[in-house]
Amino acid sequence: MGRHDVKSATQARERPERKRPSASSPLSPAPEKRVQPGAPARDAPDAPPPSGRGKLKWPVRPRLRRSLELPDLNENGAAPQTGRISRSPRPAEEKTPDRGARVQGAVAKRVPFSKTEREKPRPAAPEPRQSVSAPRLEKAPEKREPWPVRFLRVVLAAGICALAAGFYFLWARQSAEEAMPPLFMPQPYFYEEEQPVHALLLWHEKVLTAPSGGTVQLAYGGKVAAVADDEVVATVLARGRTTTIRTPARGYFLPAIDGAEDRWDYPTLWLGSGLLPKAPELRWIEDLKPLDTAVRAVGKLIYLPQEPRAIFYLDLTDRLRTGLERGSISIRRESKGPKWTARVRVYVKYGDERAKVALDMPYFPMDMALSREVDFLVCSDEDAGLVVPDSAVTIRRGTYGVFELVGDRLVFRSVTGKPIEDGRFFIASGLSAGNPVILEAANAEEKRVRLW
């Protein structure tokens, strides 16, 4: 007998043993099992094992038992109670009914879709809520205060506000008075005053002439040159003969004359207190041109070494008065350039503010030989001190002064100095370095200030 024959024989024996529904009420639903509240859930007893008379059985793995706790609602609104419903595995011998039986049983019992919902007890319908309205309490009418009390209260509130505003304004005014004003830290500065002067030069010179007229050929092509002793500076061609012109000494050779070589002397320039005369202009000798038959000059030689003498007028200062008495002053060729010390030969004062000075120039470059006039700068005053803006200096009782911050107080300090360029003021004395001053001193006063 094959395997499938044994299975069909077994199913034929088990069919009469299946339980069928009661014939008395085929359409009545199966009674629901009620679980007592608080009682433990009990598992259904396992079905008795089938007898194994001459049957071939395959081993069947038993299903796990599952339990489900369902909430229970009572009509009194008490806490929900749980009931445990256990599901036992279906016996191995029990078979699923055919499709017709399943449909008929479902129509007859009207069971829910799931077994859990079928076993769950239905809660009772809640009673309709009755609207209960609490009685409203009637407020007693408030008693109004008399008008004098209300007026007094308003006046008291306004007085308190005015007093608070007054205290605030007093505090703000005191804070503004004690606030830190704008300050400036004085910077160290070396002050030097330079006085421009216009002077006339006197030097030793000699005009070089040719023995006869003719065409001149210059050795340096009509330019100023520093020459040595007995050096040829020009050649004159006359009647087929050449004549060389040599220098008698070392110096600057200038192929030009101005006509004042014989009358430009010290007595003419020094005597008198009038304006200094104007120097004549140079007349240059042209190269490869015939000489002037009246003069026959090829140029002039300015001897070297020598210190040209400068004659000029000077505005006096305290430092210049001291320098003239000492016999030397400081000069510069240009502003902020190197400083030279010039020896004073003689000076004449015209009052306390002006003097005529003659000094030896400490330098004599080649370009100075092109004119008998020269411009340079005299260091009339110099000092070391501090510099502040002009706004930090005020005048009180005819003296200059600044407001210096000493600790937490502003103190007025009298100073000496003078205004300088770029809106600054040079302080020579009266102010110590390291303490700041008020930037706007016009409306300042001595007082205590708050540093922080």
Side-chain angles (χ1 to χ4, degrees):
M1 183 182 295
R3 176 179 178 184
H4 297 283
D5 297 336
V6 174
K7 185 176 181 180
S8 59
T10 306
Q11 293 177 357
R13 293 193 188 98
E14 291 177 355
R15 285 174 182 171
E17 297 178 2
R18 291 181 180 176
K19 297 179 179 181
R20 300 185 179 275
S22 176
S24 59
S25 60
L27 299 178
S28 61
E32 296 180 357
K33 297 181 180 180
R34 295 283 184 177
V35 180
Q36 297 295 331
R42 296 181 181 179
D43 298 336
D46 297 338
S51 60
R53 292 178 296 179
K55 296 180 181 179
L56 182 58
K57 297 181 180 180
W58 295 92
V60 179
R61 186 175 180 178
R63 298 183 181 178
L64 298 179
R65 298 179 179 179
R66 295 178 294 180
S67 61
L68 179 63
E69 295 182 358
L70 300 177
D72 190 9
L73 300 177
N74 49 21
E75 298 180 357
N76 298 329
Q81 299 178 359
T82 58
R84 184 179 299 273
I85 300 175
S86 62
R87 298 179 61 184
S88 58
R90 183 183 297 176
E93 294 81 359
E94 185 177 356
K95 300 300 179 178
T96 304
D98 54 357
R99 182 177 180 182
R102 290 199 305 269
V103 172
Q104 183 179 2
V107 173
K109 297 180 180 181
R110 302 286 185 176
V111 295
F113 291 100
S114 61
K115 187 176 181 180
T116 305
E117 296 180 359
R118 184 172 63 249
E119 298 177 356
K120 182 177 179 180
R122 297 181 179 178
E127 298 179 357
R129 181 177 299 179
Q130 297 179 359
S131 59
V132 179
S133 59
R136 296 183 180 180
L137 299 177
E138 296 183 358
K139 294 183 180 180
E142 297 181 359
K143 296 182 179 180
R144 297 187 62 182
E145 297 179 350
W147 68 268
V149 176
R150 287 183 293 170
F151 178 76
L152 182 63
R153 182 176 298 176
V154 171
V155 171
L156 184 61
I160 293 175
C161 293
L163 186 63
F167 278 116
Y168 172 77
F169 284 116
L170 290 177
W171 172 82
R173 181 178 178 181
Q174 184 178 3
S175 300
E177 291 179 354
E178 297 181 357
M180 178 67 68
L183 301 176
F184 179 82
M185 183 65 68
Q187 303 296 324
Y189 185 79
F190 182 78
Y191 171 76
E192 185 174 20
E193 185 176 342
E194 298 173 343
Q195 183 179 158
V197 297
H198 179 76
L200 299 180
L201 295 176
L202 288 172
W203 55 61
H204 297 287
E205 60 186 0
K206 181 181 180 180
V207 178
L208 301 180
T209 60
S212 61
T215 302
V216 63
Q217 182 179 4
L218 300 175
Y220 293 96
K223 296 180 180 178
V224 182
V227 297
D229 186 14
D230 197 23
E231 182 178 348
V232 177
V233 293
T235 303
V236 179
L237 301 176
R239 299 177 182 179
R241 296 176 61 181
T242 59
T243 303
T244 58
I245 308 299
R246 295 179 180 271
T247 57
R250 185 169 67 90
Y252 293 139
F253 174 72
L254 187 65
I257 58 175
D258 57 5
E261 289 79 11
D262 296 334
R263 54 185 175 86
W264 193 267
D265 54 3
Y266 177 75
T268 303
L269 301 177
W270 178 254
L271 297 178
S273 60
L275 297 176
L276 297 175
K278 187 177 180 180
E281 295 182 0
L282 291 174
R283 299 193 307 269
W284 293 88
I285 307 301
E286 297 181 1
D287 190 16
L288 299 176
K289 295 290 184 178
L291 292 174
D292 186 2
T293 56
V295 181
R296 297 193 304 273
V298 296
K300 61 183 178 180
L301 179 67
I302 302 174
Y303 293 97
L304 289 178
Q306 70 169 319
E307 293 179 352
R309 188 177 300 178
I311 299 175
F312 56 92
Y313 288 99
L314 187 63
D315 296 331
L316 296 179
T317 60
D318 294 339
R319 188 173 185 275
L320 285 179
R321 293 187 186 96
T322 304
L324 292 177
E325 294 175 359
R326 189 175 58 246
S328 63
I329 59 176
S330 299
I331 64 173
R332 282 192 174 100
R333 293 194 64 186
E334 56 186 2
S335 181
K336 308 304 180 182
K339 186 184 297 185
W340 302 80
T341 301
R343 183 170 62 92
V344 178
R345 281 184 172 269
V346 64
Y347 69 94
V348 177
K349 288 184 179 180
Y350 298 98
D352 294 336
E353 302 296 333
R354 192 172 178 82
K356 191 174 185 178
V357 183
L359 54 79
D360 294 335
M361 296 296 293
Y363 54 87
F364 188 24
M366 188 182 299
D367 57 347
M368 285 180 60
L370 298 176
S371 176
R372 297 183 186 272
E373 298 177 355
V374 65
D375 295 327
F376 54 89
L377 300 174
V378 176
C379 300
S380 58
D381 195 7
E382 61 181 12
D383 199 356
L386 301 173
V387 64
V388 297
D390 285 339
S391 59
V393 182
T394 186
I395 299 178
R396 286 193 174 184
R397 295 182 293 273
T399 59
Y400 290 112
V402 297
F403 286 92
E404 182 183 10
L405 180 63
V406 181
D408 60 346
R409 296 194 62 84
L410 293 176
V411 182
F412 180 79
R413 302 289 189 188
S414 298
V415 297
T416 59
K418 61 181 65 178
I420 57 177
E421 68 278 0
D422 300 333
R424 297 179 297 174
F425 190 91
F426 173 75
I427 299 177
S429 61
L431 182 63
S432 59
N435 291 334
V437 297
I438 289 184
L439 190 59
E440 300 293 338
N443 300 323
E445 59 182 359
E446 294 183 339
K447 62 179 181 179
R448 180 179 176 274
V449 296
R450 187 174 58 231
L451 298 179
W452 306 105

